[in-house]
Amino acid sequence: PLTSTTDVFSSPTLQLASFAVGLPLAAVTSLFPLTRPLETAAVRWLCGVDAARLADGPARTRAAKGRTAVWYTVHLGLGGVIAGMSLAVPPFAVALIVLPLFAGLRDSPLGLSEVLDHTWALALSPVAGVASLLALAGCVAGCGVLLARWAPALLGPTPEDRLAAAEARAADLAVRNRLARELHDSVGHALSAVTLQASAARRVLGTDPEFVRDALAAIEDTTRRTVGEL
């Protein structure tokens, strides 16, 4: 039974209760606009999910915010469990591995004093320690796989996000097309002028050197102005 003097660090029940109460409270922070961009970046870099399968920017609709909240809660929950296991399992596993070598550890408060009186238990304790570390690594890898699989469904773009992205691409293409038309007109006009000047200068090259000099000057001025426009 829990009393007023029960230490939360020594009571698994209180630890689980604190985790269950704190997780929904922490998940409320998923409603902030920067949560989805930050989580998307983390998933892209840590889970190796393609950026095209994830939404870009903050959640705008109620459905997108709800999915982000679900993802954030799952992320925090699995992260808390893995963090707790990462703190508890390695020291316990190391103690099991070196247990046959250090007799003093057999009287430590591990709850295994009666079992360790048997020779077979001491022989198997290193195996159990290594198995604990492998199980921890498997849990970490499994949680990573699950998060990578769930991320596109919970952090993926909504129809509104796809529409906004399509509109942004259309606006960008419109700007590119306008610049391409202006570039085409500018360069086309300059090339036409240069071609006419060069052709006329070639025709009178031997009879009118003054015109040739003026034509070359005009070609130089036209190309310099066109480069400036580019």
Side-chain angles (χ1 to χ4, degrees), residues 9-211:
F9 295 104
S10 61
S11 173
T13 303
L14 279 181
Q15 293 176 9
L16 293 176
S18 301
F19 186 71
V21 172
L23 187 61
L25 295 178
V28 175
T29 59
S30 64
L31 300 178
F32 289 100
L34 289 178
T35 301
R36 191 169 74 167
L38 293 175
E39 288 294 311
T40 299
V43 169
R44 187 169 62 250
W45 287 102
L46 299 179
C47 297
V49 179
D50 188 7
R53 303 176 62 190
L54 302 173
D56 186 17
R60 297 178 178 86
T61 63
R62 183 176 299 179
K65 292 179 180 178
R67 288 162 50 192
T68 303
V70 172
W71 163 264
Y72 194 64
T73 304
V74 172
H75 187 187
L76 285 180
L78 291 179
V81 172
I82 294 299
M85 293 175 61
S86 300
L87 290 174
V89 172
F92 183 73
V94 171
L96 289 178
I97 293 173
V98 301
L99 194 60
L101 303 177
F102 297 94
L105 292 176
R106 304 170 191 175
D107 299 327
S108 61
L110 295 176
L112 300 175
S113 56
E114 297 180 358
V115 178
L116 295 178
D117 292 336
H118 302 282
T119 305
W120 61 266
L122 289 176
L124 292 179
S125 64
V127 178
V130 173
S132 299
L133 294 177
L134 293 177
L136 175 61
C139 290
V140 173
C143 288
V145 172
L146 288 177
L147 290 176
R149 181 176 300 177
W150 293 340
L154 297 176
L155 294 178
T158 62
E160 291 80 6
D161 294 327
R162 294 190 180 93
L163 179 60
E167 292 175 348
R169 286 194 299 269
D172 181 67
L173 289 176
V175 172
R176 291 174 178 269
N177 289 335
R178 178 177 59 81
L179 293 176
R181 286 194 301 269
E182 294 178 358
L183 181 62
H184 175 271
D185 294 342
S186 176
V187 175
H189 173 74
L191 289 177
S192 298
V194 167
T195 301
L196 290 175
Q197 295 286 351
S199 177
R202 181 180 59 82
R203 292 177 181 274
V204 298
L205 181 61
T207 59
D208 194 351
E210 185 67 25
F211 178 82

